[in-house]
Amino acid sequence: MNKNSVNADEALKISSEISVLTSGISMEPMLREHRDIAVVERVNRKLKKNDVPLYRKAGCSQLVLHRIIKVTDNGYVIRGDNLYRKEYDVKDEDIVGVLKAFYRKGKYYDCAKSKKYHIYIVLNRLGFPFRYFWAIKFKPFLAKIKHLIIK
């Protein structure tokens, strides 16, 4: 993603909107790696909860597209839809653009207007505690039991 990240950063300085092929699994199931296209626009407003900024991770050149889960006085708390670890204090100056829309199987989903997208956000947020419990607590417990049984 680094080569495309640099190009995306530079492209948004020239154009108000760009389309990029997604890379990585952090935003699954919404954005599927190398199959969906994200439409990112230059930021021209204060971002809010549930916006999906394209931002530069602290201390590196990599650009990441993750969801804002909380707005604080110090910046944004951000997490990928398919991740469990939060990123704290992401600043406005780290943000290059914001997800405007995406294409999935050739169909255009506008993040401001799509009812399906807004339903996805609600279901993703409601399901997080269950996914977290399954992935972080219960699944490792099952693996330990399986290891003891097979031993």
Side-chain angles (χ1 to χ4, degrees), residues 6-25:
V6 172
N7 292 340
D9 189 9
E10 292 174 12
L12 279 169
K13 290 176 184 171
I14 299 166
S15 178
S16 62
E17 180 180 297
I18 61 169
S19 297
V20 294
L21 183 64
T22 59
S23 176
I25 61 167

Side-chain angles (χ1 to χ4, degrees), residues 41-94:
E41 66 183 352
R42 197 179 310 141
V43 181
N44 57 6
R45 61 179 169 81
K46 182 76 172 156
L47 298 181
K48 60 189 183 318
K49 182 177 174 180
N50 293 324
D51 280 340
V52 181
L54 179 66
Y55 66 99
R56 190 165 313 286
K57 286 188 89 156
C60 71
S61 63
Q62 183 180 16
L63 288 176
V64 181
L65 197 62
H66 287 166
R67 187 175 309 284
I68 295 174
I69 57 174
K70 186 176 182 181
V71 178
T72 69
D73 293 336
N74 296 327
Y76 304 101
V77 179
I78 297 180
R79 180 179 60 223
D81 288 355
N82 193 30
L83 300 177
Y84 302 102
R85 173 173 272 143
K86 298 174 187 173
E87 299 166 56
Y88 294 90
D89 301 332
V90 174
K91 309 283 187 221
D92 284 314
E93 54 267 16
D94 300 326

Side-chain angles (χ1 to χ4, degrees), residues 1 4 20-27 32-36:
M1 176 140 171
N4 292 334
V20 294
L21 183 64
T22 59
S23 176
I25 61 167
S26 65
M27 287 301 289
R32 298 163 308 158
E33 182 175 33
H34 303 301
R35 295 194 314 199
D36 298 325

